[in-house]
Amino acid sequence: MLSSSVTTLASLSDEIPAVLAGHREYVPHVVAWNLTRRCNLECAHCYISAGPSESADGEMTTQECLRIAEEILQLNPSPMFILSGGEPLLRDDLTTIAAFASKRGATVVVGTNGTLLTNDRIAALKDAGVSGVAVSVDSLDQRYHDNFRHGRGSLEATTQALARLREHRMDFIIQTTATKGNRSELSRLVAWAAEQGAVSFNLYFLVATGRGARLSDLSPAEYELLLAELVTLQRQYLGRMMVRSKCAPHFMRHLHQAAPESPILNYETRCPCGVQYCRITPDGKLTPCPYTPLPAGDLRTQSFAEVWNNSPLFQELRSRTLGGKCGRCEYQRVCGGCRARALALEGDIMAADPSCVYEPTGDIPVIERAQTVTYGMHVEQGMRWSPDAEARVKRIPSFVRGVVTKRLEDYARRQGLSEVTVGLMAEVRSAMPIDFSKRKPFFLSNELDD
């Protein structure tokens, strides 16, 4: 239960291996940052219970945010910051924070409901160095979407915003949370997202936190059917748009079984929470992910490095010691279950994910990663790089740099070349593997251009 989990965390506080503090594996590659609980909408599933009645009281100041961003950049000079809310566009200093981080080497993206994305706001985000936007759409049925988000006309406003993003050549992702109400719409939503020009479609699975705890989730059997459908759609849209699940790592089991060639298996395939990923709340608490309210520390009184390196909660997650059937599962290294859902439903962050129907048999060995180099992994350069190519690859976010480095060097060797140059980078961009689609995802924008 939750109390026993907290007790376990407390007991670990004096047993943290010092070597972990500098271990390359534990790098904050991606930081989700809830800047505010204020929002112009009041979505039924909101994990942070944001809405119009929330105020700015307790939010971190601009200077606090800039100080924390600098501390993160000291640990990782090229992280990805996902600035969200609530609705982040309600913070007057959003572009100040974005520009501060982007100018210092971070890739900055913004998560929004899309309704406030005017031409002026999009232009300001681009000027601040924002590389892309994630926009939420829950249904193509206007009545359902607007009711779910408690905002009349919100679907129309969001759709108009997508047209503006295309005009400004700003890459965007479409995000949908799977519910009983939109379950039958999945294929239509994916097709619509591709028609809109999204670089990726992310299907989120509900975690019972915030207002989401009031909703009735899909059953484990329904998860299986939906994940299997998602694998089919992922294969269908390869070369045009990435299709992925979020908060349902057992998608990787489905991919491993049905589509082992999938480029999505390049990703670090176990839940990265507290290992390569974390979340900052509006009042400065650091948690493993947005759906895990259990704090690892307080950034108003502690430095980011202190919490990231020494938090007992993060150390438990890094132990990779899972409970229940997740700990016995053949797919534990490519899946591992959702830690946030285990905490929400079982009261133990290391418990088995109750949304999974798979029962380990013990008849086959533990399944290893399908790829030798995955996202988040560090790769040492194995050949000469020209100074301008070296500078350009350093601007690529750390969680994809290892994969890009290996791809570039492999390509150079196949061409009989001894050096990676900017010209070669341009060639590779035109022949990138199908997982990056015919358009570059925003995290590679401008980095492989001539």
Side-chain angles (χ1 to χ4, degrees), residues 27 118 151 165 168 191 253 272 314 339 417 422 432:
V27 175
T118 63
L165 289 167
H168 286 268
R253 167 171 53 81
F314 287 168
R339 300 299 96 222
L417 303 174
V422 169
M432 289 178 86

Side-chain angles (χ1 to χ4, degrees), residues 18 39 60 82 94 162 205 279 392:
C39 191
M60 286 190 293
I82 305 170
L94 175 62
L162 297 180
F205 286 77
R279 182 273 297 259
R392 191 157 291 184

Side-chain angles (χ1 to χ4, degrees), residues 231 235 252 254-265 370-371:
V231 171
R235 301 178 83 170
M252 297 301 180
H254 283 264
L255 284 173
H256 198 280
Q257 293 172 341
E261 78 290 349
S262 172
I264 294 178
L265 289 174
Q371 310 290 345

Side-chain angles (χ1 to χ4, degrees), residues 210-224:
R211 281 196 295 270
R214 306 174 189 171
L215 297 182
S216 177
D217 195 10
L218 301 174
S219 70
E222 289 172 315
Y223 267 60
E224 286 293 290

Side-chain angles (χ1 to χ4, degrees), residues 311-376:
S311 162
L313 175 57
F314 287 168
Q315 299 307 327
E316 184 172 34
L317 288 165
R318 292 167 192 174
S319 75
R320 305 291 181 131
T321 304
L322 302 175
K325 67 180 183 180
C326 281
R328 304 189 305 271
C329 186
E330 305 94 307
Y331 293 93
Q332 61 179 281
R333 293 181 186 170
V334 296
C335 170
C338 174
R339 300 299 96 222
R341 188 173 293 107
L343 177 65
L345 299 182
E346 303 296 328
D348 182 352
I349 202 166
M350 303 304 285
D353 183 344
S355 70
C356 180
V357 301
Y358 182 76
E359 291 294 337
T361 64
D363 296 334
I364 59 176
V366 172
I367 304 297
E368 299 290 345
R369 290 171 176 155
Q371 310 290 345
T372 57
V373 179
T374 63
Y375 287 77

Side-chain angles (χ1 to χ4, degrees), residues 138-146 155 185 188:
D138 298 298
S139 174
L140 299 180
D141 180 332
Q142 181 171 333
R143 180 180 298 180
Y144 180 89
H145 176 94
D146 291 0
L155 178 60
E185 285 191 79
R188 282 206 306 135

Side-chain angles (χ1 to χ4, degrees), residues 30 33 58 125 127 169 282 291 313 340 343 374 394 402 408 448:
V30 181
W33 200 328
L125 292 174
D127 288 345
R169 299 178 63 83
Y291 303 94
L313 175 57
L343 177 65
T374 63
K394 285 182 178 177
L408 289 166
L448 296 184

Side-chain angles (χ1 to χ4, degrees), residues 37 43-50 206-215 279 290-293 340 344:
R37 285 189 172 84
C43 305
H45 66 316
C46 183
Y47 62 85
I48 202 170
S49 298
L206 188 70
V207 178
T209 60
R211 281 196 295 270
R214 306 174 189 171
L215 297 182
R279 182 273 297 259
Y291 303 94
T292 305

